[in-house]
Amino acid sequence: MHRFFKTDFFNFEFIRILSTAQYGGCETGEALKAASLIKDADPETWSEAWFTQAKHAEGLAEEAARSGDVPSARAAYLRAANYFRASQFMLNNRPPREDERVIPRLEKSRELFRKGVELLDDAKAYPLSIPIDDGVEIPGYLYVPVTPAKEDGGHPLLINLTGGDSTQEEMFVVTAAAGPARGYAVLTFDGPGQGILLKKNKLAMKPNYEVITSQVIDYISRTESDPKTSHGIDLDRIAVVGASMGAYFALRSAVDARIKACISLDPPYDMWDLAVSRMPGWFIGGWSSGWISDGAFNNLVSVLSKFNFQFKWEIQHMQWMFGADSPADAMRGLKTFTLKSPGGGEHVSNIKCPVLVSGAAGSMYFDPKLNSQKIYDALGHLPDEKKRHWLSDQVEDGGLQAKVGAFWVSNYRMFAWCDQHLGVKRNPFL
């Protein structure tokens, strides 16, 4: 596979942005220009290169808006939003070195995204404010096709879960944009530990994410039960999808009986396994057993971070997600993100709906043998027709983590699974 950068981290993240061109999140020329300005493993040049392209795309959007060119304005607003997101991605927002660029750029991304989706021609975008526990309201979007539903009962609903380092705005140019043309309504949201709720509100991620998803379904069920607020959603045909960490959330969420299909793209089985792979085995073992103190652990992390930016970024992001004060606390937090049930057993054994789980042979994080295959094996209670393991070993077929580089293929397979298990009928034309 061709590489744009020598380091795996920068190369992967660049391809991640480039891959969104299929659904309007990127223009190839703009991405190549940004790549030419980025020094490998240098977060400053990454940030400023994408900030430059964000301002460029925003200028084009405003120019098109002034001339009344709706398609061009929509496309440029969506690209600008994605570039502003990318421009803050590598920056630190943890005390005591909070980067003051992070929140303004993320807010700008959200602002321009809203301008873009207000101009959609195949769907109506409805901004949502969804109440969850403790008086918190989480931001979401519901995208409803403008064409009438083909089946009685309304449009099937796909709930597209955000991952560990993404935003719901990015989810649109990865998956959600592909739904309305197929007759699907799509719902996205940022939960605690994600998007603006993480960077600005400092809300930590919850390992029992199924609680959040169920509250989202409660909300949409209430709105659909009222003729004044209904959007024509068929609540008997709900599917959930997520990629990477979002795939883990999808599996946790699929225990809700209202979910009739689950798509889990390249999930982890147990996040502690990732922690073990990131540190010397003898050191992790000594620390876990108490022979090595938290102070020594934190000091080693500080030293390793000076030589490996990816490692530094991952540790900092874990501290953000879990609301941890130290690397040691963040690492311990990973132990709570597992598909093992307390006291033994498997969380996924409680799933009753059909499950498509995938693995990526080229994953930077989750070896399919230790993750997706293990999850598939734990679905032994489901009949063969209600489960499938899709293992990708080629980049064009989804061989990279979260199906980066193959979003079109991923969506094709995902919606085919939804069609099959939600009773969506299509007419062959070949």
Side-chain angles (χ1 to χ4, degrees):
M1 184 185 78
H2 176 77
R3 297 185 69 91
F4 294 92
F5 296 96
K6 184 177 180 180
T7 62
D8 290 340
F9 187 40
F10 267 49
N11 193 62
F12 176 83
E13 292 301 332
F14 180 79
I15 296 173
R16 173 176 171 175
I17 298 169
L18 188 61
S19 303
T20 65
Q22 171 73 28
Y23 299 109
C26 177
E27 175 74 281
T28 304
E30 292 166 347
L32 293 177
K33 178 64 176 180
S36 72
L37 300 173
I38 296 171
K39 181 180 177 182
D40 196 11
D42 178 7
E44 281 298 322
T45 56
W46 173 281
S47 176
E48 291 313 303
W50 288 115
F51 181 75
T52 298
Q53 292 308 311
K55 297 296 291 183
H56 169 74
E58 181 186 11
L60 291 175
E62 292 176 346
E63 178 184 319
R66 284 192 294 269
S67 67
D69 185 343
V70 172
S72 294
R74 175 180 64 239
Y77 277 132
L78 292 176
R79 297 200 313 275
N82 200 28
Y83 299 159
F84 270 112
R85 179 200 62 81
S87 75
Q88 59 81 46
F89 184 82
M90 298 289 182
L91 302 177
N92 181 34
N93 197 39
R94 285 283 305 174
R97 301 183 183 88
E98 292 184 81
D99 194 308
E100 61 184 17
R101 293 170 292 181
V102 171
I103 294 174
R105 291 186 182 184
L106 196 55
E107 289 180 329
K108 187 68 171 180
S109 173
R110 299 175 73 229
E111 172 196 333
L112 296 178
F113 179 80
R114 177 168 292 199
K115 289 183 177 181
V117 295
E118 285 175 349
L119 301 175
L120 293 175
D121 56 4
D122 64 347
K124 175 69 175 176
Y126 297 94
L128 307 176
S129 184
I130 305 170
I132 59 170
D133 292 334
D134 303 321
V136 174
E137 293 193 350
I138 61 177
Y141 274 99
L142 177 65
Y143 305 96
V144 181
V146 295
T147 55
K150 294 181 180 180
E151 295 89 7
D152 293 338
H155 297 287
L157 175 66
L158 177 68
I159 301 176
N160 185 187
L161 300 181
T162 308
D165 60 16
S166 54
T167 67
Q168 67 157 332
E169 290 80 18
E170 184 189 16
M171 291 301 93
F172 178 80
V173 293
V174 171
T175 299
R182 291 175 165 91
Y184 282 80
V186 183
L187 191 154
T188 64
F189 63 92
D190 283 334
Q194 298 170 318
I196 196 69
L197 293 180
L198 171 63
K199 300 292 179 73
K200 184 176 182 179
N201 302 96
K202 311 298 184 188
L203 294 182
M205 187 170 282
K206 296 179 180 293
N208 58 337
Y209 202 87
E210 63 273 22
V211 174
I212 304 298
T213 306
S214 291
Q215 290 174 328
V216 170
I217 297 176
D218 291 343
Y219 170 83
I220 201 68
S221 296
R222 289 193 300 270
T223 62
E224 290 304 307
S225 65
D226 185 344
K228 296 180 180 179
T229 56
S230 174
H231 300 98
I233 305 300
D234 187 345
L235 296 176
D236 290 325
R237 295 192 295 167
I238 299 176
V240 64
V241 62
S244 200
M245 195 69 179
Y248 166 84
F249 297 146
L251 291 166
R252 294 210 63 94
S253 300
V255 298
D256 190 314
R258 294 171 293 183
I259 294 175
K260 300 303 193 295
C262 173
I263 303 92
S264 178
L265 302 171
D266 311 338
Y269 174 78
D270 189 308
M271 288 297 289
W272 179 245
D273 294 337
L274 174 64
V276 172
S277 72
R278 284 294 189 264
M279 302 285 284
W282 63 268
F283 189 84
I284 281 287
W287 174 65
S288 297
S289 62
W291 289 101
I292 297 175
S293 69
D294 281 5
F297 181 94
N298 294 334
N299 287 336
L300 178 62
V301 166
S302 179
V303 172
L304 294 176
S305 295
K306 294 178 181 179
F307 299 99
N308 187 316
F309 176 74
Q310 179 179 350
F311 178 78
K312 176 182 179 180
W313 185 93
E314 290 169 350
I315 292 292
Q316 288 179 339
H317 192 70
M318 282 195 298
Q319 286 185 247
W320 285 352
M321 286 197 304
F322 303 151
D325 293 327
S326 70
D329 288 339
M331 195 68 76
R332 256 190 295 271
L334 288 175
K335 291 185 177 182
T336 64
F337 288 78
T338 179
L339 292 174
K340 300 173 186 176
S341 294
E346 303 286 350
H347 175 84
V348 299
S349 67
N350 298 308
I351 298 175
K352 306 303 181 187
C353 70
V355 178
L356 169 62
V357 59
S358 76
S363 172
M364 286 200 305
Y365 297 111
F366 309 131
D367 182 339
K369 293 180 181 178
L370 302 176
N371 294 280
S372 63
Q373 184 63 57
K374 195 170 184 178
I375 291 166
Y376 180 78
D377 292 342
L379 293 169
H381 62 289
L382 294 179
D384 289 345
E385 64 271 17
K386 292 182 66 175
K387 62 185 177 182
R388 179 186 170 196
H389 186 209
W390 166 30
L391 180 59
S392 308
D393 59 4
Q394 300 296 321
V395 63
E396 68 270 23
D397 191 43
L400 297 182
Q401 182 66 32
K403 300 297 172 266
V404 162
F407 292 151
W408 183 94
V409 171
S410 175
N411 289 332
Y412 164 64
R413 298 190 186 283
M414 177 192 68
F415 281 109
W417 185 259
C418 289
D419 285 356
Q420 177 183 349
H421 295 287
L422 298 183
V424 175
K425 306 298 183 183
R426 303 195 186 278
N427 297 320
F429 54 88
L430 184 64

